């Protein structure tokens, strides 16, 4: 299923991605495991500075596409800014401020929580989740990490006089509006539409297309829907993710950086000057996503000192550090060889 638009070109090809090694799991000087994936680094002029693996095959960006969805809703009249707009683009941790913010979005629309159509779940953050379980609290749609996006979708549909019960149908005017924004910002037609974990339509593009979309948002002119989303996420990084989340820490560490993660090892990040990186870890491993993205940002010219904390968690043996996850040398040419 494709959605053609006036600015869209051909859809990426649906094929088995030609992933390549992007990170080594090194224990005691020996490569114990290899994470495959794909990486694209864009230069400020939009050209591809580095590519590893398959950056043009169709893939699902998962929640890394949420900033694009938020742009689409602003274009359709959603009147949010600041922390509530950041929440609309969030994969939040389920902290009380996230739940309260989602309620505020629903209240602005005059809608009850029961109109949400995302799945019920426990909070994403492990500490918050454990507290919920101890307190005997049950899974809820409000606690699920996409509830801010769903509340914003309902608000957008309500403002436009669109039906609410079926707002997740790919044929709904809201979802068609979002598909058009995906095609506009990525510069390519949608290859396939399926259902994301939360129940919303999920649009397949390429890793290269995702990076282009992030550039369009991060470097947009002030006051545009794109700039409003970027400003909201950068200014309220914890609302767009959560306390202690690596994506929020990354945006705090690199001035001007817009960053968004997604399930199954997806990460995108872009700077206002046009530089950007996008990462897909083939096996979905989160432990490789962060160090690979950090190495890609360093390759893009970000000060490595600002990225030091994102080098990856150490690998322990008997309580002592015996190794780590190391990006491949194409990403980190100064890295020691595995046997050093």
């Amino acid at each position: 299923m494709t959605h053609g638009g006036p600015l869209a070109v051909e859809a990426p090809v649906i094929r088995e991605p030609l992933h390549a090694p992007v990170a080594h799991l090194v224990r005691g000087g020996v490569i114990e495991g290899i994470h495959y994936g794909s990486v694209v680094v864009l230069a400020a002029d939009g050209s591809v500075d580095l590519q590893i693996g398959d950056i043009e095959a169709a893939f699902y960006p998962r929640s890394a596409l949420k900033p694009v969805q938020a742009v689409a809703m602003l274009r359709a009249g959603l009147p949010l800014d600041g922390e509530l707009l950041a929440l609309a683009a969030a994969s939040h941790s389920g902290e009380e401020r996230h739940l309260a913010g989602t309620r505020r979005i629903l209240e602005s629309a005059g809608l009850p929580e029961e109109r949400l159509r995302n799945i019920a779940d426990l909070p994403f953050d492990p500490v918050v989740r454990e507290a919920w379980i101890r307190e005997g609290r049950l899974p809820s749609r409000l606690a699920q990490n996409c509830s801010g996006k769903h509340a914003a979708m309902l608000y957008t549909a309500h403002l436009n006089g669109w039906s609410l019960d079926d707002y997740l149908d790919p044929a709904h005017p809201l979802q068609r509006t979002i598909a058009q924004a995906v095609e506009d910002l990525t510069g390519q037609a949608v290859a396939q539409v399926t259902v994301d974990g939360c129940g919303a339509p999920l649009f397949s593009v390429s890793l290269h297309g995702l990076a282009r979309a992030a550039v369009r948002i991060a470097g947009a002119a002030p006051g545009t829907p794109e700039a409003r989303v970027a400003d909201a996420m950068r200014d309220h990084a914890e609302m767009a993710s959560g306390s202690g989340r690596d994506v929020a820490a990354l945006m705090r560490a690199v001035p001007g950086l817009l960053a968004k993660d997604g399930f199954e090892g997806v990460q995108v990040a872009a700077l206002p000057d046009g530089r950007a990186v996008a990462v897909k870890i083939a096996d979905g491993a989160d432990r490789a996503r962060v160090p690979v993205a950090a190495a890609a940002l360093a390759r893009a010219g970000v000060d490595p000192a600002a990225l030091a904390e994102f080098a990856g968690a150490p690998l322990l043996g008997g309580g002592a550090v015996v190794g780590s996850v190391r990006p491949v040398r194409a990403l980190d040419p100064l890295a020691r060889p595995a046997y050093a």
Side-chain angles (χ1 to χ4, degrees), residues 218-235:
T224 60
E226 293 87 342
R228 287 167 59 191
V229 170
D231 290 343
M233 293 180 68
R234 288 186 292 229
D235 293 344

Side-chain angles (χ1 to χ4, degrees), residues 5-336:
L7 298 179
V9 293
E10 293 184 2
V13 177
I14 299 174
R15 64 184 180 217
E16 181 178 349
L18 303 174
H19 292 305
V22 294
H24 294 150
L25 177 65
V26 180
R27 181 188 293 268
V30 173
I31 295 176
E32 184 177 34
I34 301 175
H35 289 290
Y36 283 70
S38 296
V39 179
V40 60
V41 178
L42 298 185
D45 64 1
S47 63
V48 175
D49 182 59
L50 174 72
Q51 70 177 80
I52 298 175
D54 195 341
I55 68 171
E56 303 296 354
F59 92 119
Y60 290 120
R62 303 298 298 271
S63 287
L65 205 58
K66 282 179 178 172
V68 177
Q69 294 171 311
V71 168
M73 289 187 277
L74 291 184
R75 291 178 177 181
L78 181 68
L80 297 181
D81 280 296
E83 64 177 8
L84 294 186
L85 179 53
L87 184 60
S91 300
H92 66 70
S93 291
E95 300 166 37
E96 287 301 326
R97 61 177 161 182
H98 300 132
L99 276 60
T102 301
R103 292 191 191 97
R104 286 169 58 195
I105 295 173
L106 290 169
E107 289 167 0
S108 296
L111 297 171
E113 179 184 338
E114 288 72 27
R115 300 308 294 265
L116 292 170
R117 290 292 180 265
N118 59 314
I119 62 168
D121 201 357
L122 293 170
F124 177 76
D125 182 89
V127 175
V128 180
R129 186 189 313 124
E130 289 172 7
W132 270 59
I133 294 171
R134 287 196 304 270
E135 295 165 7
R137 300 172 74 174
L138 299 176
S140 77
R141 288 188 169 92
L142 209 62
Q144 197 267 337
N145 75 90
C146 301
S147 64
K149 177 185 77 175
H150 281 257
M153 285 181 170
L154 278 171
Y155 195 0
T156 305
H158 173 72
L159 288 168
N160 285 277
W162 297 330
S163 57
L164 300 183
D165 289 343
D166 61 342
Y167 75 92
L168 296 183
D169 187 330
H172 190 279
L174 170 68
Q175 300 303 336
R176 294 182 67 86
T177 296
I178 291 173
Q180 290 170 1
V182 171
E183 295 188 331
D184 172 31
L185 294 175
T186 63
Q188 58 191 178
V190 170
Q192 185 79 352
V193 182
T194 188
V195 182
D196 209 340
C198 65
L202 177 61
F203 304 100
S204 178
V205 292
S206 70
L207 196 66
H208 192 182
L210 178 64
R212 284 194 298 262
V215 167
R216 292 278 304 277
I217 296 171
T224 60
E226 293 87 342
R228 287 167 59 191
V229 170
D231 290 343
M233 293 180 68
R234 288 186 292 229
D235 293 344
H236 303 278
E238 284 78 12
M239 204 66 167
S241 53
S243 302
R245 293 274 291 280
D246 55 69
V247 70
L250 191 59
M251 285 193 280
R252 289 195 305 268
V254 182
L257 187 71
L258 174 69
K260 185 70 186 77
D261 55 346
F263 279 156
E264 297 302 322
V266 181
Q267 179 72 57
V268 67
L271 289 157
D273 64 6
R275 290 175 291 160
V277 307
V279 172
K280 164 62 181 176
I281 305 301
D283 61 3
D286 226 33
R287 69 180 180 186
R289 170 183 60 85
V290 178
V292 169
L297 283 168
R299 173 64 185 256
V302 175
D303 182 1
L307 300 167
E309 66 178 291
F310 307 103
L315 183 66
L316 302 181
V321 176
V322 296
S324 64
V325 175
R326 299 182 191 172
V328 294
R329 292 181 66 84
L331 277 170
D332 188 6
L334 298 180
R336 293 173 297 156

